[in-house]
Amino acid sequence: LKAVLKPQDKATLICFGANVWQVSFPDDPASELHERLKDFQKGERRGAKRLNPSEYRDGASSVYDGLFYAAKALEGLSGRRAIILFSDGEDTSSAHHLLETIEACQEHAVTVFALRYSELRKGELTARNKYGKSMLARLALETGGLDYDASDEDLVRKAFVQIGATLRSSYDLAY
């Protein structure tokens, strides 16, 4: 990400598990994203803003809610809006469903680039992995983005270069 971001670019960090948190904001220096992520992973919530309502959640992965609230958080920002999602695509606790999430991204002109990682079982994808993989592919397709296999660091580096090139060389047409 550091290699792809230009000085004029803005980035925000939104983390999800059982809840959705905005950990950094567009006006924060992009160079601080990694530190904010490390602090958040240690349980540091100072300065973070919870985006979803307080409600009981059974499960620990709100992928759809994470994307839904991330798209809304990008509303009003000028320029291209993109979400780079790191996930296995396996949602276990969202209040929103896939179609609502796609519609929120489309409504707010957000392109989703999914970097997918899956924990294989005995070297094979499970049924749940296959569902997550197809869900991320669908999200990317419906929002004009791409999905990538993030199984190794070199693939992730190449994905970021391609994402940067795509965002800098694409145009929107409207009528």
Side-chain angles (χ1 to χ4, degrees):
L1 183 61
K2 289 177 186 177
V4 173
L5 284 175
K6 304 288 185 218
Q8 70 272 18
D9 294 336
K10 294 183 177 203
T12 187
L13 178 63
I14 296 176
C15 299
F16 62 90
N19 292 292
V20 182
W21 293 87
Q22 187 164 3
V23 178
S24 74
F25 298 85
D27 291 331
D28 295 343
S31 59
E32 293 180 11
L33 286 175
H34 191 247
E35 289 303 314
R36 297 272 178 99
L37 177 60
K38 288 194 306 191
D39 289 345
F40 185 80
Q41 289 173 326
K42 292 178 198 170
E44 175 63 53
R45 302 288 190 264
R46 186 181 56 230
K49 176 183 172 187
R50 185 163 149 164
L51 298 178
N52 65 308
S54 180
E55 56 197 0
Y56 175 76
R57 291 177 180 265
D58 188 20
S61 183
S62 309
V63 181
Y64 301 143
D65 283 356
L67 286 165
F68 182 89
Y69 291 110
K72 289 191 170 294
L74 298 176
E75 184 179 25
L77 293 177
S78 61
R80 298 197 66 80
R81 290 177 292 281
I83 294 172
I84 300 174
L85 172 68
F86 292 89
S87 178
D88 59 6
E90 299 173 22
D91 189 294
T92 60
S93 64
S94 284
H96 296 90
H97 57 73
L98 178 60
L99 293 179
E100 281 179 301
T101 302
I102 290 170
E103 289 170 359
C105 290
Q106 291 172 340
E107 177 184 342
H108 299 293
V110 172
T111 304
V112 176
F113 295 94
L115 285 102
R116 175 186 27 80
Y117 55 89
S118 299
E119 290 185 31
L120 303 177
R121 187 175 189 135
K122 296 182 182 177
E124 299 287 325
L125 288 174
T126 65
R128 193 170 189 93
N129 296 141
K130 290 175 184 176
Y131 173 78
K133 183 177 177 178
S134 67
M135 187 278 295
L136 292 176
R138 173 85 185 267
L139 267 165
L141 175 70
E142 296 287 340
T143 62
L146 297 165
D147 72 302
Y148 300 91
D149 179 5
S151 60
D152 86 26
E153 201 172 305
D154 193 44
L155 292 174
V156 173
R157 239 183 239 99
K158 289 177 182 175
F160 270 102
V161 169
Q162 186 177 12
I163 291 167
T166 300
L167 290 172
R168 293 185 201 300
S169 64
S170 54
Y171 299 90
D172 292 328
L173 296 176
Y175 62 93

